[in-house]
Amino acid sequence: AAFLAAVGGWSERNSRNHLRDRLIAYLCLEGLRPGKIVRLDMRHLYEVTTGTGQQVYEVRAPDDHENVGHQYTLEVLTSAALREYLPKRRKPAEGVHLVIIGEGGQGIISEYPNKIVQQIAATSSVLAQRTPPVTADALAHTGYWDTPPAG
């Protein structure tokens, strides 16, 4: 709950790329590890309607050999963050099909999600001093609804 509150408070005051950063945090909570987040591909991004009529996204993260990889159906909250990010997404360089775009239209490095998660966690008085610190991998392992044990 503390991390979700911190993500919800992350805004343009914290980062000019706040929409991208929030999406990265939500993707971690979906169970995607940093190496998968940086490989999410626009060519494998599909908006679908759930049985309850909600619009969500299905995404895939191809591996190094361009195999399409595991399909993830994103939660409503993450889908909303993706929908908000896409119109503001940087223009990718020629031939770049990644969802998450960094400086120069290239993809981000796999260390970036962890840096963002730690920066977001640092804004929370509950999480800032946590030992061990909140990491992107820890979020990916615990997800939206699990509570990690205190260290």
Side-chain angles (χ1 to χ4, degrees), residues 3-126:
F3 188 74
L4 280 174
V7 173
W10 193 255
S11 70
E12 63 275 354
R13 291 185 329 264
N14 305 100
S15 169
R16 69 177 180 210
N17 299 308
H18 66 285
L19 297 175
R20 180 184 69 192
D21 298 347
R22 285 186 3 208
L23 176 59
I24 289 169
Y26 288 134
L27 289 167
C28 288
L29 289 167
E30 288 279 356
L32 277 79
R33 297 191 61 189
K36 293 229 186 266
I37 291 171
V38 301
R39 290 195 315 259
L40 290 176
D41 192 311
M42 292 294 293
R43 297 170 294 182
H44 302 288
L45 178 69
Y46 310 99
E47 193 165 15
V48 296
T49 304
T50 68
T52 60
Q54 296 177 306
Q55 294 294 116
V56 297
Y57 284 93
E58 290 179 348
V59 298
R60 291 182 183 263
D63 64 18
D64 293 335
H65 305 288
E66 292 297 314
N67 295 316
V68 293
H70 178 77
Q71 178 175 300
Y72 297 89
T73 301
L74 303 180
E75 295 280 345
V76 173
L77 188 59
T78 308
S79 293
L82 177 58
R83 198 172 294 108
E84 188 176 10
Y85 163 74
L86 287 175
K88 305 289 186 187
R89 178 176 168 258
R90 291 175 192 238
K91 182 179 180 185
E94 183 70 30
V96 174
H97 303 286
L98 300 170
V99 172
I100 307 292
I101 299 293
E103 299 293 325
Q106 298 298 320
I108 59 173
I109 59 173
S110 62
E111 290 83 9
Y112 187 78
N114 200 48
K115 290 178 184 178
I116 288 304
V117 163
Q118 289 177 346
Q119 287 177 356
I120 292 172
T123 65
S124 165
S125 60
V126 173

